[in-house]
Amino acid sequence: MEQPNLDYFNKIAEGEQAIIDKFISILKSEFPQQLINYNQNISIPNYEESSEAVHKLKHKIGILGLENSYQLAGKFEQNLRNHNLEYQKEFEVILKNITNFIQKL
């Protein structure tokens, strides 16, 4: 399984720790809120809002270096638009993995 990393942050910040810290702060602020939004909408299920939530989370997945997970999130996002929950369990494993990573930052 892919593991989240801060390689993208390091590349963009060119090693400037203050910038990296700011990116981490934003991630720690935005990801939990987006996760709550996803969980609320998927439980109903509200497919349109769930798809939008996945779209936003997908970008966090990408910046954390999870290329395969990013692709899976894109498929799940598209499936939700078609009222199809295929890839939900896999997507939620990715979210749990990211949650665990963020908690350790």
Side-chain angles (χ1 to χ4, degrees):
M1 175 181 236
E2 294 177 300
Q3 292 301 311
N5 61 71
L6 300 177
D7 293 349
Y8 181 75
F9 291 169
N10 288 318
K11 181 180 177 183
I12 296 297
E14 297 181 343
E16 288 286 329
Q17 192 60 46
I19 297 172
I20 294 167
D21 291 344
K22 183 66 176 170
F23 286 148
I24 291 170
S25 175
I26 292 167
L27 179 67
K28 284 182 165 184
S29 170
E30 289 182 0
F31 182 82
Q33 291 301 315
Q34 291 172 349
L35 180 59
I36 289 167
N37 184 38
Y38 165 77
N39 285 328
Q40 288 173 341
N41 284 296
I42 201 70
S43 68
I44 299 172
N46 180 329
Y47 292 100
E48 184 176 327
E49 291 297 321
S50 295
S51 175
E52 289 298 317
V54 170
H55 180 79
K56 290 177 182 177
L57 287 162
K58 179 176 72 174
H59 294 296
K60 301 296 186 293
I61 292 167
I63 65 171
L64 289 172
L66 302 170
E67 295 176 25
N68 294 330
S69 298
Y70 179 87
Q71 296 300 323
L72 185 133
K75 291 176 187 176
F76 184 46
E77 176 186 358
Q78 187 61 44
N79 283 351
L80 285 169
R81 291 184 184 148
N82 296 318
H83 296 208
N84 179 341
L85 295 173
E86 184 179 6
Y87 300 120
Q88 178 181 359
K89 289 181 186 195
E90 296 90 337
F91 181 73
E92 290 175 0
V93 167
I94 294 164
L95 296 179
K96 182 66 175 165
N97 190 22
I98 292 171
T99 299
N100 292 338
F101 176 76
I102 290 173
Q103 289 173 344
K104 294 176 186 173
L105 291 176

